[in-house]
Amino acid sequence: MSHGFQVSPWELRWNDLDLGALERTEAIFALSNGHIGLRGTLEEGEPCGVPGTYLNGFHEQHPLPYAEGGYGYPEDGQTVVNVTDGKIIRLLVQDEPLDMRYGRAVEHHRVLDFRSGTLRRDTVWESPTGRRVRVRTERLVSFTQRAVCAIRYEIEPLDDRIQLVVQSDLLANEPIDSQSKDPRVAATLNNPLVAEDSFAEDYHAVLVHQTRKSKLRIAAAMDHELETDDGLRCEISAEEDLARLTAAVDVPRGSRLRVTKYLCYGWSARRSAPALRAQVDAALSGAMQTGWDGLLAEQRAYLDDFWATADIEIDGDAELQQAVRFALFHVLQAGARGESRAVPAKGLTGPGYDGHSFWDSETFVLPVLTYTVPEAARDALRWRHTTLDKARERAAALGLGGAAFPWRSINGAECSAYWPAGTAAFHVSADVSDAVVRYLAATGDEDFERDAATAILVETARLWSSLGHHDMHGGFRIDGVTGPDEYSAVVDNNVYTNLMAQRNLREAAALCERQPAAAAALGVTADETATWRSAADKMVVPYDEMLGVHPQSERFTEHARWDFENTPQDHYPLLLNYPYFDLYRKQVVKQADLVMAMYLRGDAFSPEQKARNVDYYEPLTVRDSSLSACVQAVLAAEVGYLDLAYDYFAEAALTDLHDLHSNVRNGLHIASLAGAWTVAVAGFGGMRDHDRSLTFAPRLPPALTRLAFRMTYRGSRFSVEVDQEGANYTLLDGPALTVRHHGEEVTLTPGSSERRPIAALEPREAPPQPHGRAPHRRTPKY
Ligand code: BGC
């Protein structure tokens, strides 16, 4: 057992009825396909921590409050809406409502199954007056029919004949409790949905609503199959915010009542209420035609295929094995069927960060999808492409050329009300272009290159061209921006930003040569691409000669050091306990920034520089963001601190299962979960993808005996199996492929497996972390 979960390779089981842990388990047990998200609430609706049913992109708008406004401040915020809840199935056992706060849970467990893609529950409940029933439920959000969810709900009396009444609901405008000053918590919306239509007949009901300001429309529909021996009495009704099917039946011992609920959602900014109602009804018919067993079979087949391309096996740490599969499962859930929508920082598992997407998506999540489910990566990038006009408008409002993608958003419009860590974080535009370049290299998708990639790269290159300038010495500077580390802001020549912009400029110029017609349609000339190349060639990358390290931005290494020794542990995260003005002027790093540059632009640093920079930044980095541990792990592994990398691996993978940031209730940290893949593949597998080729430099920490991962690249699927002495590369299907192993070319051909040795490393002592901020030691000592 670990933190309430039973350790097991392919599932996550919770055996306890710890009602205090409900909010946490609701996020962890959330089901999603990237389009619909259902939190793992108990079917009976109460007790409940944070109720949540989300549709990707469905949001309400609200004015952003400024005590003192300023030119160019975004006017409207966006918040994800908790939509009509269709998960609710209430049960009355001979007049007594099943409510886990009363009576006794004789048995209770819940299981999230990574292969069936379902959440199961098994409860034996004794009512306060001593009647016992067994309730078994299973639910899924379909990967194959993206508008569809289904719930199987079975009740069996364990004593005498008993009267059971089941109420299956669609409930809109559920009350939500949230009063918090933590900026990472969502703005609370009261009654966001206005009823437009409701309908009920037989076992079927629909509710249609619209948001007040964003004017988005949503339809939710349910239908049921009921199985019992006899004597069923049913009623259905629908009013504005509630549709309810009620079924009453007397069930003898040894018999049972089985309800299968099919649930469909649709939303649109344009479609009328009747059109949307027709859409969900059609999806519902499709789901019922497939049937419960059919939906289960489709779900399993989809996941079998996913695991055949994406599984990671870890020998030597059973808890991490489970955590990594949990992580991959949730990354898939966040991104699988979003289809031209964003991947929010919390996926669809909770209201945290208002449901916004950040650079998390392109920089952390999309690399995983690119090498495992490339279509999903493409669709997420298409979303960025559909928002180009908003990004162009934003750049124009800021007096810049090209397109400035928003720091945080649901629909593509900037929603950050704090410009030093929002608008100024221009690196997000280079991050988007980097994800595009990676996707193109991994797939060779020419349609996407022509139809979407060229415009994204050209417009982001134009942004850098207008944001930077050549100084008197000819260097190209990008001043007044914020890099990944949010404890520094509005700095000059942030190394990460400059190196990512450099790649963006070069790749844009190269792409325009490959796609001359698409480039010409965007008005690109040879002179323009020449200015991009020259800016890239002259890009300023500050270096502190005296210390022999890269300052993460100009003058950073001259700042006073943060007083870590006198910072109490309960004052972390620092952003909730110290003023930004003080954080900004000191050497304290919230999350990997220069270290991030050394991962994504590792081609711009020598091995010696990497080692010295890691030693310099480790003692300054407090990891107040969950986006840090995985990147620190990758660089620690590269420079030879394998035990430290292993500790960070565990931190990234267990961020949510161990609730390391004490906020999993608001949703999972999808970037950190994706980071677990990053550590396995790029950390211990040493995978890098600079310059359109794949290289590996595998090396395991002493604690692991074997690590195996799979990837897809240009239509080939292959596996890399690493042990302490060597690595095996095996082509699983597709054309032959050449990669590199510690610098040496290895060609993978069908039917053969290539083994290469791994040279042992000289052990070096790892640098310390800030006082009290060392990761939990997973290995006894370094
Ligand atoms: C991090 C950002 C991240 C955001 C959403 C913040 O705490 O500093 O880098 O994009 O969380 O995950």
Side-chain angles (χ1 to χ4, degrees), residues 324-363:
V324 167
R325 290 207 175 110
F326 169 81
L328 282 168
F329 181 73
H330 271 294
V331 170
L332 176 72
Q333 291 208 113
R337 300 295 307 271
E339 291 174 23
S340 61
R341 296 275 160 215
V343 180
K346 304 283 178 193
L348 300 174
T349 65
Y353 282 125
D354 282 317
H356 292 169
S357 293
F358 297 72
W359 71 309
D360 305 34
S361 165
E362 278 79 6
T363 304

Coordinates of all heavy atoms in Angstrom, one line a residue, residues 324-363:
V324 N 4.0 5.1 -13.3 CA 4.3 5.5 -14.7 C 3.2 5.1 -15.6 O 2.8 5.9 -16.5 CB 5.7 4.9 -15.2 CG1 5.8 5.0 -16.6 CG2 6.8 5.6 -14.5
R325 N 2.6 4.0 -15.4 CA 1.4 3.6 -16.2 C 0.2 4.5 -15.9 O -0.5 4.9 -16.8 CB 1.0 2.1 -16.0 CG 2.1 1.2 -16.6 CD 1.5 -0.2 -17.0 NE 2.5 -1.0 -17.7 CZ 3.1 -2.1 -17.1 NH1 2.7 -2.5 -15.9 NH2 4.0 -2.8 -17.8
F326 N 0.0 4.8 -14.6 CA -1.0 5.7 -14.2 C -0.8 7.1 -15.0 O -1.8 7.7 -15.5 CB -0.9 5.9 -12.7 CG -1.8 7.1 -12.2 CD1 -3.1 6.9 -12.0 CD2 -1.2 8.3 -11.9 CE1 -3.9 8.0 -11.4 CE2 -1.9 9.3 -11.4 CZ -3.3 9.2 -11.1
A327 N 0.4 7.5 -15.0 CA 0.8 8.8 -15.7 C 0.4 8.7 -17.2 O -0.2 9.6 -17.7 CB 2.2 9.1 -15.5
L328 N 0.9 7.6 -17.8 CA 0.6 7.5 -19.3 C -0.9 7.4 -19.5 O -1.4 8.0 -20.5 CB 1.3 6.2 -19.8 CG 2.8 6.3 -20.0 CD1 3.4 5.0 -20.3 CD2 3.1 7.3 -21.2
F329 N -1.6 6.7 -18.7 CA -3.0 6.6 -18.9 C -3.7 8.0 -18.8 O -4.5 8.3 -19.6 CB -3.6 5.7 -17.8 CG -5.1 5.4 -17.9 CD1 -5.6 4.6 -18.9 CD2 -5.9 6.0 -17.0 CE1 -7.0 4.4 -19.0 CE2 -7.3 5.8 -17.1 CZ -7.8 5.0 -18.1
H330 N -3.3 8.8 -17.8 CA -3.9 10.1 -17.7 C -3.5 11.1 -18.8 O -4.2 11.9 -19.3 CB -3.6 10.7 -16.3 CG -4.7 10.3 -15.4 ND1 -6.0 10.7 -15.5 CD2 -4.7 9.5 -14.3 CE1 -6.7 10.2 -14.5 NE2 -5.9 9.5 -13.7
V331 N -2.2 10.9 -19.3 CA -1.8 11.8 -20.4 C -2.6 11.4 -21.6 O -3.1 12.3 -22.4 CB -0.3 11.6 -20.7 CG1 0.1 12.3 -22.0 CG2 0.5 12.2 -19.5
L332 N -2.8 10.1 -21.8 CA -3.7 9.7 -23.0 C -5.1 10.3 -22.8 O -5.7 10.8 -23.7 CB -3.7 8.2 -23.0 CG -4.7 7.7 -24.1 CD1 -4.1 7.9 -25.5 CD2 -5.0 6.2 -24.0
Q333 N -5.6 10.1 -21.6 CA -7.0 10.6 -21.3 C -7.1 12.1 -21.6 O -8.1 12.6 -22.1 CB -7.4 10.4 -19.9 CG -7.6 8.9 -19.5 CD -8.6 8.8 -18.4 OE1 -9.7 8.2 -18.6 NE2 -8.3 9.2 -17.2
A334 N -6.0 12.9 -21.3 CA -6.0 14.3 -21.5 C -6.0 14.7 -23.0 O -6.6 15.7 -23.4 CB -4.9 15.0 -20.7
G335 N -5.3 13.9 -23.7 CA -5.1 14.3 -25.1 C -5.7 13.5 -26.2 O -5.7 14.0 -27.4
A336 N -6.3 12.3 -25.9 CA -6.7 11.4 -27.0 C -7.6 12.0 -28.0 O -7.4 11.9 -29.2 CB -7.2 10.1 -26.4
R337 N -8.8 12.5 -27.5 CA -9.8 12.9 -28.5 C -10.2 14.3 -28.3 O -11.4 14.7 -28.5 CB -11.0 12.0 -28.3 CG -10.8 10.5 -28.5 CD -10.4 10.1 -29.9 NE -11.4 10.6 -30.9 CZ -12.4 10.0 -31.4 NH1 -12.7 8.8 -30.9 NH2 -13.2 10.5 -32.3
G338 N -9.3 15.2 -27.9 CA -9.6 16.6 -27.8 C -10.0 17.2 -29.2 O -10.8 18.1 -29.3
E339 N -9.3 16.7 -30.2 CA -9.6 17.1 -31.6 C -9.8 18.6 -31.8 O -10.9 19.1 -31.6 CB -10.9 16.3 -32.1 CG -10.4 14.9 -32.2 CD -11.6 13.9 -32.6 OE1 -12.6 14.3 -33.1 OE2 -11.4 12.7 -32.3
S340 N -8.8 19.2 -32.1 CA -8.7 20.7 -32.3 C -9.2 21.5 -31.1 O -9.8 22.5 -31.2 CB -9.3 21.1 -33.6 OG -10.7 20.8 -33.6
R341 N -8.9 20.9 -29.9 CA -9.0 21.7 -28.7 C -7.7 21.5 -28.0 O -6.9 20.7 -28.2 CB -10.1 21.1 -27.8 CG -11.5 21.2 -28.4 CD -12.1 22.6 -28.1 NE -13.2 22.8 -29.1 CZ -13.5 23.9 -29.6 NH1 -12.9 25.0 -29.3 NH2 -14.5 24.0 -30.4
A342 N -7.6 22.4 -26.9 CA -6.3 22.4 -26.2 C -6.2 21.2 -25.2 O -7.2 20.5 -25.0 CB -6.2 23.7 -25.4
V343 N -5.0 21.0 -24.7 CA -4.9 20.1 -23.6 C -4.6 21.0 -22.3 O -3.6 21.6 -22.2 CB -3.6 19.1 -23.8 CG1 -3.5 18.2 -22.6 CG2 -3.7 18.4 -25.1
P344 N -5.6 21.0 -21.5 CA -5.5 21.9 -20.3 C -4.5 21.4 -19.3 O -4.2 20.2 -19.3 CB -6.9 21.9 -19.7 CG -7.8 21.3 -20.7 CD -7.0 20.4 -21.6
A345 N -3.9 22.3 -18.5 CA -2.9 21.9 -17.5 C -3.4 20.8 -16.6 O -2.6 20.0 -16.1 CB -2.4 23.1 -16.7
K346 N -4.7 20.8 -16.3 CA -5.2 19.7 -15.4 C -6.0 18.7 -16.2 O -6.7 17.9 -15.7 CB -6.2 20.4 -14.4 CG -5.6 21.5 -13.6 CD -4.8 20.9 -12.5 CE -4.1 22.0 -11.7 NZ -3.0 21.4 -10.9
G347 N -5.8 18.7 -17.6 CA -6.6 17.8 -18.4 C -8.1 18.2 -18.1 O -8.4 19.4 -17.9
L348 N -8.9 17.2 -18.0 CA -10.3 17.4 -17.6 C -10.6 16.7 -16.3 O -11.6 16.0 -16.2 CB -11.3 16.9 -18.7 CG -11.1 17.6 -20.1 CD1 -11.9 17.0 -21.2 CD2 -11.4 19.1 -20.0
T349 N -9.7 16.9 -15.4 CA -9.8 16.2 -14.1 C -10.2 17.1 -12.9 O -10.4 16.6 -11.8 CB -8.5 15.5 -13.7 OG1 -7.5 16.5 -13.5 CG2 -8.0 14.6 -14.8
G350 N -10.3 18.4 -13.2 CA -10.6 19.3 -12.1 C -10.6 20.8 -12.6 O -10.1 21.0 -13.7
P351 N -11.1 21.7 -11.7 CA -11.2 23.1 -12.2 C -10.0 23.9 -12.0 O -10.0 25.1 -12.3 CB -12.3 23.6 -11.2 CG -12.1 22.8 -10.0 CD -11.6 21.4 -10.4
G352 N -8.9 23.3 -11.5 CA -7.7 24.1 -11.3 C -7.2 24.9 -12.5 O -7.4 24.5 -13.6
Y353 N -6.6 26.1 -12.2 CA -6.1 27.0 -13.2 C -7.2 27.3 -14.2 O -7.0 27.6 -15.4 CB -4.9 26.4 -14.0 CG -3.6 26.5 -13.3 CD1 -2.9 25.3 -13.0 CD2 -3.1 27.7 -12.8 CE1 -1.6 25.4 -12.4 CE2 -1.9 27.8 -12.2 CZ -1.2 26.6 -11.9 OH 0.0 26.7 -11.3
D354 N -8.5 27.3 -13.7 CA -9.6 27.7 -14.5 C -9.8 26.9 -15.8 O -10.5 27.3 -16.7 CB -9.6 29.2 -14.9 CG -10.0 30.1 -13.7 OD1 -11.0 29.7 -13.1 OD2 -9.3 31.1 -13.5
G355 N -9.1 25.7 -15.8 CA -9.3 24.9 -17.0 C -8.4 25.4 -18.2 O -8.6 25.0 -19.3
H356 N -7.4 26.3 -17.9 CA -6.6 26.9 -18.9 C -5.5 25.9 -19.4 O -5.0 25.1 -18.7 CB -5.9 28.1 -18.4 CG -6.9 29.2 -18.2 ND1 -6.6 30.4 -17.6 CD2 -8.2 29.3 -18.5 CE1 -7.6 31.2 -17.5 NE2 -8.6 30.6 -18.1
S357 N -5.1 26.2 -20.6 CA -3.9 25.5 -21.2 C -2.7 26.5 -21.2 O -2.9 27.7 -21.4 CB -4.1 25.1 -22.7 OG -5.1 24.2 -22.7
F358 N -1.6 25.9 -21.0 CA -0.3 26.7 -20.9 C 0.7 26.1 -21.9 O 0.4 25.2 -22.6 CB 0.2 26.7 -19.5 CG -0.6 27.3 -18.4 CD1 -1.8 26.6 -18.0 CD2 -0.3 28.5 -17.8 CE1 -2.6 27.2 -17.0 CE2 -1.1 29.0 -16.8 CZ -2.2 28.4 -16.4
W359 N 1.9 26.5 -21.7 CA 3.0 25.9 -22.5 C 3.2 24.4 -22.1 O 3.8 23.6 -22.8 CB 4.4 26.6 -22.3 CG 5.0 26.5 -20.9 CD1 4.3 26.7 -19.7 CD2 6.3 26.1 -20.6 NE1 5.2 26.5 -18.7 CE2 6.4 26.1 -19.2 CE3 7.4 25.8 -21.3 CZ2 7.6 25.8 -18.5 CZ3 8.6 25.5 -20.7 CH2 8.7 25.5 -19.3
D360 N 2.6 24.1 -20.9 CA 2.6 22.7 -20.4 C 2.3 21.7 -21.6 O 2.8 20.6 -21.7 CB 1.5 22.4 -19.4 CG 1.6 23.4 -18.2 OD1 2.0 24.5 -18.4 OD2 1.3 22.9 -17.1
S361 N 1.3 22.1 -22.4 CA 0.8 21.2 -23.4 C 1.8 21.0 -24.5 O 2.2 19.8 -24.7 CB -0.5 21.9 -24.0 OG -0.8 21.3 -25.2
E362 N 2.4 22.0 -25.1 CA 3.3 21.8 -26.2 C 4.7 21.2 -25.7 O 5.3 20.4 -26.3 CB 3.6 23.1 -26.9 CG 2.6 23.3 -28.0 CD 1.3 23.9 -27.4 OE1 1.3 24.2 -26.2 OE2 0.3 24.1 -28.2
T363 N 5.1 21.7 -24.5 CA 6.5 21.4 -24.0 C 6.5 20.0 -23.3 O 7.5 19.3 -23.3 CB 7.0 22.5 -23.2 OG1 6.9 23.7 -24.0 CG2 8.5 22.3 -22.8

